[in-house]
């Protein structure tokens, strides 16, 4: 059990670090395409300046995402050999499809996107930007197909303890895939929206009054304001799908122990798994029934339904799922208030110039709020699947490698140190780039023609 726990923590640390960067690159690629198309349409050099700044952030994020992804994939062999031994006939091809369709596309055109704006025809550079953005989305599609299949497996049969594919369309379009894909793509869009808004607010606070930073600020705020209501609706649909296929996860999310009607929506509670109850509950009467069943008298499943005859829990750890879900939802509510409140302030003050500095500081504080929401949602999803690695097919305990706990602990410590250093460096570099760009953008511009004459940095 010690080896299992350490291996789970190690994989969680790796995937937590890795997911931060695809969460940015998936949506940022499309935002870069928007900047480029606006430049093509208007010939306004402010859009191209925005492209050149944010393409640096894209390159930095893409590099860290690739490196951390390779490190994470090694663990399938070192820590979780039972995974590929059991479901490799499904997981292997899906991962290969990602490489064949997305990785090659990104590798072929990334160099043109990053370094070709003044070296290739404009149409080719725009096409390269589109293909890289499309490649990041296709990559997310295949990874989420595999992850969704692990939650709601379909289109397979088990022969001699090994999973064999019988219907690839059922595997790819498994019951939870559409909901999970949409939820993740919207999460990426919101992450990028608040990243752009926060960094642009920081540039304003350090003295950048250029029109270019106003454009990016408004882009980030508008993107966040548009996407957050859609994400709330998509999250509700995803929750209903989860209720159908993984009711024990929803019971843990709600902290509900007994199957009943008129279940309250708990705002705060301290789940006590040993005694199968909650302490210090604060809730909205019938709220959970109303949200999950759209009926205040709706019956919501309870955790007590998911115990084996010998008393073994067949539901996930309650407290981590309960609290990670609330962190995700709480961060989403803050995003809604921040984006819509900023739009109101922009309208009332007739632009960026009249915004209160404290509002700008608040947006700076929320620069990486998308990461918090994404990680909290990811923990809700993945911890909520326990004790299964592949729902109903393979338990986590059955897949772990027989590796000494001291060795796993040593590598885990090394990963944590390296990842902490890289994360600090990443955030520092982004704000340093913002300050440098602010210093450059406050110098006088001589028009769009000047862009073509200034050498690339």
């Amino acid at each position: 059990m010690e080896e299992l726990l350490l291996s789970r923590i190690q994989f969680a640390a790796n995937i937590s670090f890795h997911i931060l960067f695809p969460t940015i690159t998936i949506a940022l690629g499309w935002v870069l395409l928007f900047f480029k198309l606006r430049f093509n349409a208007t010939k306004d050099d402010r859009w191209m300046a925005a492209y050149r700044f944010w393409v640096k952030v894209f390159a930095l994020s893409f590099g860290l995402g690739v490196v951390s992804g390779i490190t994470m994939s090694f663990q399938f062999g070192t820590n979780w050999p039972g995974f590929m031994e059991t479901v490799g006939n499904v997981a292997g091809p899906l991962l290969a499809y990602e490489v064949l369709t997305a990785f090659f596309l990104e590798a072929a055109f990334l160099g043109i996107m990053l370094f070709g704006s003044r070296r290739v025809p404009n149409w080719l550079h725009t096409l390269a930007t589109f293909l890289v953005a499309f490649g990041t989305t296709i990559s997310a599609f295949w990874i989420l197909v595999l992850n969704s299949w692990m939650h709601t497996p379909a289109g397979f049969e088990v022969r001699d303890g090994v999973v064999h594919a019988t219907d690839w369309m059922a595997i790819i379009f498994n019951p939870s895939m559409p909901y999970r894909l949409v939820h993740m793509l919207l999460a990426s869009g919101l992450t990028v929206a608040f990243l752009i808004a926060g960094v642009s607010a920081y540039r304003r606070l350090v003295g950048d009054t250029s029109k270019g930073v106003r454009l990016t600020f408004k882009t980030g705020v508008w993107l966040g304001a548009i996407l957050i209501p859609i994400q709330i609706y998509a999250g509700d649909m995803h929750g209903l799908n989860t209720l159908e296929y993984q009711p024990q996860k929803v019971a843990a999310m709600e902290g509900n122990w007994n199957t009943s009607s008129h279940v309250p929506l708990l705002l705060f509670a301290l789940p006590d798994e040993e005694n199968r109850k909650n302490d210090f509950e604060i809730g909205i009467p019938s709220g959970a029934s109303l949200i999950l069943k759209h009926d205040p008298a709706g019956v919501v499943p309870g955790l007590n339904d998911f115990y084996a005859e010998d008393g073994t829990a067949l539901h996930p750890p309650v407290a981590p799922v309960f609290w990670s879900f609330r962190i995700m939802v709480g961060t989403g509510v803050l995003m809604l208030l921040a984006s819509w409140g900023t739009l109101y302030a922009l309208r009332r003050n007739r632009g960026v110039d009249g915004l209160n500095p404290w509002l700008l500081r608040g947006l700076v504080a929320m620069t990486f709020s998308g990461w918090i929401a994404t990680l909290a949602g990811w923990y809700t999803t993945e911890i909520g699947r326990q004790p299964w690695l592949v729902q109903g097919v393979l338990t986590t305990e059955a897949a772990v490698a027989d590796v000494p706990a001291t060795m796993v602990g040593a590598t885990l410590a090394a990963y944590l140190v390296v990842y902490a250093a890289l994360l600090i460096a990443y955030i520092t570099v982004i704000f340093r780039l913002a300050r440098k760009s602010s210093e450059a953008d406050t110098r006088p511009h001589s028009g769009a023609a000047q862009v073509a004459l200034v050498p690339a940095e």
Side-chain angles (χ1 to χ4, degrees):
M1 295 303 295
E2 188 174 295
E3 295 158 6
L4 172 62
L5 179 61
L6 288 172
S7 292
R8 284 183 60 194
I9 294 174
Q10 179 170 291
F11 193 83
N14 275 271
I15 201 168
S16 295
F17 182 76
H18 168 71
I19 199 176
L20 300 178
F21 306 106
T23 303
I24 290 176
T25 56
I26 292 167
L28 186 55
W30 294 107
V31 173
L32 287 170
L33 179 64
F34 170 74
F35 288 158
K36 188 64 192 292
L37 292 175
R38 292 297 298 148
F39 172 74
N40 293 345
T42 64
K43 303 304 178 185
D44 187 338
D45 64 336
R46 293 172 298 174
W47 291 112
M48 199 60 196
Y51 182 97
R52 291 201 178 104
F53 173 80
W54 285 103
V55 81
K56 297 174 186 176
V57 177
F58 181 92
L60 181 63
S61 305
F62 187 89
L64 284 173
V66 169
V67 172
S68 59
I70 294 172
T71 304
M72 184 182 66
S73 65
F74 284 158
Q75 292 183 71
F76 289 132
T78 59
N79 294 76
W80 304 100
F83 178 73
M84 282 300 182
E85 289 173 0
T86 304
V87 302
N89 291 326
V90 171
L94 293 178
L95 293 172
Y97 295 157
E98 184 208 5
V99 174
L100 292 173
T101 59
F103 230 57
F104 286 169
L105 195 64
E106 294 165 342
F109 292 96
L110 182 63
I112 298 174
M113 175 183 170
L114 297 181
F115 308 112
S117 62
R118 300 187 182 97
R119 295 176 175 86
V120 299
N122 186 59
W123 67 266
L124 180 56
H125 185 253
T126 303
L127 177 63
T129 303
F130 165 75
L131 290 174
V132 171
F134 182 70
T136 59
T137 304
I138 292 298
S139 178
F141 171 81
W142 289 116
I143 293 299
L144 287 166
V145 164
L146 175 56
N147 182 262
S148 299
W149 182 84
M150 293 165 65
H151 286 269
T152 52
F156 72 98
E157 65 179 15
V158 180
R159 298 198 299 266
D160 298 325
V162 177
V163 168
H164 294 268
T166 59
D167 185 346
W168 278 105
M169 291 301 291
I171 289 172
I172 293 172
F173 297 100
N174 62 79
S176 67
M177 189 279 290
Y179 302 94
R180 210 173 299 276
L181 177 65
V182 170
H183 199 50
M184 185 63 203
L185 293 180
L186 288 170
S188 176
L190 285 166
T191 300
V192 169
F194 279 86
L195 177 67
I196 292 174
V199 171
S200 300
Y202 174 78
R203 293 177 66 177
R204 292 287 300 180
L205 287 171
V206 297
D208 188 346
T209 58
S210 64
K211 293 182 179 180
V213 78
R214 298 176 197 169
L215 290 179
T216 57
F217 180 86
K218 291 179 179 178
T219 298
V221 172
W222 270 105
L223 183 61
I226 292 170
L227 292 184
I228 188 61
I230 302 174
Q231 179 69 306
I232 292 172
Y233 176 76
D236 180 57
M237 293 296 101
H238 187 20
L240 296 179
N241 177 264
T242 304
L243 177 63
E244 180 178 358
Y245 291 96
Q246 295 175 303
Q248 69 276 23
K249 180 191 295 186
V250 173
M253 289 160 55
E254 297 300 332
N256 183 45
W257 292 95
N258 299 306
T259 299
S260 62
S261 62
H262 297 283
V263 175
L265 176 63
L266 297 181
L267 303 178
F268 180 88
L270 297 178
D272 181 355
E273 195 164 338
E274 183 178 352
N275 296 307
R276 301 189 191 183
K277 66 183 183 69
N278 298 324
D279 296 322
F280 306 107
E281 287 186 355
I282 300 174
I284 300 173
S286 302
S289 293
L290 184 62
I291 291 173
L292 292 170
K293 296 294 186 176
H294 297 171
D295 179 1
V299 177
V300 176
L303 290 161
N304 285 327
D305 291 349
F306 303 98
Y307 281 88
E309 292 183 359
D310 62 359
T312 302
L314 301 178
H315 61 71
V318 180
V321 176
F322 179 86
W323 283 111
S324 59
F325 177 70
R326 274 147 187 77
I327 291 171
M328 178 189 69
V329 173
T331 306
V333 171
L334 283 177
M335 288 178 166
L336 178 68
L337 295 175
S339 58
W340 284 27
T342 304
L343 282 184
Y344 174 77
L346 284 170
R347 180 181 178 87
R348 184 176 181 180
N349 294 284
R350 297 181 180 180
V352 179
D353 293 338
L355 292 180
N356 189 302
W358 283 105
L359 177 61
L360 296 176
R361 292 186 183 98
L363 288 173
V364 173
M366 293 191 67
T367 300
F368 295 101
S369 57
W371 278 0
I372 296 172
T374 298
L375 287 176
W378 199 256
Y379 294 155
T380 302
T381 295
E382 301 309 308
I383 299 175
R385 186 179 54 203
Q386 297 302 315
W388 298 102
L389 191 56
V390 179
Q391 186 77 34
V393 177
L394 176 67
T395 64
T396 306
E397 186 176 357
V400 72
D402 185 16
V403 180
T406 53
M407 183 177 295
V408 180
T411 54
L412 171 60
Y415 278 131
L416 292 176
V417 170
V418 173
Y419 286 161
L422 288 175
L423 192 59
I424 293 171
Y426 176 85
I427 295 173
T428 302
V429 167
I430 285 181
F431 282 104
R432 184 175 180 183
L433 285 173
R435 184 175 287 275
K436 284 185 63 178
S437 295
S438 298
E439 293 171 356
D441 286 352
T442 52
R443 299 167 189 164
H445 291 277
S446 59
Q450 184 182 18
V451 174
L453 302 176
V454 178
E457 292 183 4

